[in-house]
Amino acid sequence: MERSLVLIKPDAMQRGLAGTIITRLEKQGLKLIAVKMLHLDKALARRHYAIHKDKPFFNGLVDYISSVPIVAAVFEGEGAIAVIRKTMGATDPAKAEAGTIRGDFGLDIEQNSVHGSDSIETAEKEIKLFFSEDEIFNYHQ
Ligand code: IDP
Ligand code: MG
């Protein structure tokens, strides 16, 4: 079954939106199979966003994502990656449709409330960065 890493980003944590965002993903029929709260250090932030290391916004993004404790989760389901990307909305909240997480809650193109993996390969790598195998669960609903 397909899996995706989800991060509830600092802007959402600071506004008490973690539960709301998890609920929106659960309502899509996705199953929560791992969850933890952690304060990213700069090294993990840099590894998670390594693909953007040459972008002008990289240092700001690393500072932002490591600014306050966040919630990391793994969701599982058929087509989970695409379902989550659609539920999140466009990267820039100004361009995200109403009813999407970023459209409803995102503050700007950096502080856009939520992260979701963008491919199966990325998801596998990202999940390994945040979770060990024994922190990921398998159960029947
Ligand atoms: P995604 O999160 O929708 O996959 P990416 O292009 O992979 O978007 O960018 C990763 C994250 O970097 C975004 O979610 C956002 O927090 C931040 N970001 C993207 N573009 C910009 C920008 O132009 N300025 C500042 N931050 C950005
Ligand atoms: Mg991305």
Side-chain angles (χ1 to χ4, degrees), residues 58-85:
F58 180 70
N59 287 333
L61 179 59
V62 167
D63 288 347
Y64 158 66
I65 201 72
S66 58
S67 61
V68 302
I70 63 168
V71 169
V74 180
F75 279 92
E76 183 178 76
E78 210 168 299
I81 289 165
V83 170
I84 291 169
R85 297 289 300 190

Side-chain angles (χ1 to χ4, degrees), residues 1-108:
M1 192 65 83
E2 204 167 288
R3 293 173 171 186
S4 176
L5 178 79
V6 168
L7 302 178
I8 315 293
K9 290 183 172 182
D11 67 278
M13 295 299 297
Q14 283 170 315
R15 286 176 291 150
L17 292 168
T20 300
I21 291 171
I22 288 170
T23 298
R24 284 198 182 197
L25 296 171
E26 288 177 326
K27 279 186 177 159
Q28 299 302 311
L30 298 168
K31 194 168 166 186
L32 185 62
I33 58 166
V35 66
K36 66 167 68 161
M37 189 164 179
L38 76 169
H39 197 151
L40 267 72
D41 59 24
K42 296 270 157 82
L44 180 55
R46 281 192 205 98
R47 284 179 74 190
H48 174 67
Y49 281 125
I51 195 160
H52 298 300
K53 66 178 169 23
D54 297 326
K55 305 263 171 65
F57 60 79
F58 180 70
N59 287 333
L61 179 59
V62 167
D63 288 347
Y64 158 66
I65 201 72
S66 58
S67 61
V68 302
I70 63 168
V71 169
V74 180
F75 279 92
E76 183 178 76
E78 210 168 299
I81 289 165
V83 170
I84 291 169
R85 297 289 300 190
K86 193 166 178 224
T87 309
M88 293 197 311
T91 304
D92 183 353
K95 294 178 182 149
E97 282 179 40
T100 63
I101 295 167
R102 286 165 165 176
D104 291 350
F105 305 122
L107 299 178
D108 57 43

Side-chain angles (χ1 to χ4, degrees), residues 76-141:
E76 183 178 76
E78 210 168 299
I81 289 165
V83 170
I84 291 169
R85 297 289 300 190
K86 193 166 178 224
T87 309
M88 293 197 311
T91 304
D92 183 353
K95 294 178 182 149
E97 282 179 40
T100 63
I101 295 167
R102 286 165 165 176
D104 291 350
F105 305 122
L107 299 178
D108 57 43
I109 194 166
E110 178 184 75
Q111 301 181 78
N112 57 5
S113 305
V114 66
H115 167 85
S117 307
D118 66 6
S119 70
I120 290 175
E121 298 72 44
T122 315
E124 275 175 18
K125 277 192 217 155
E126 291 180 349
I127 290 167
K128 281 202 186 112
L129 269 186
F130 285 85
F131 292 95
S132 60
E133 268 310 314
D134 65 354
E135 292 173 320
I136 302 174
F137 295 85
N138 187 7
Y139 62 97
H140 297 289
Q141 273 169 331

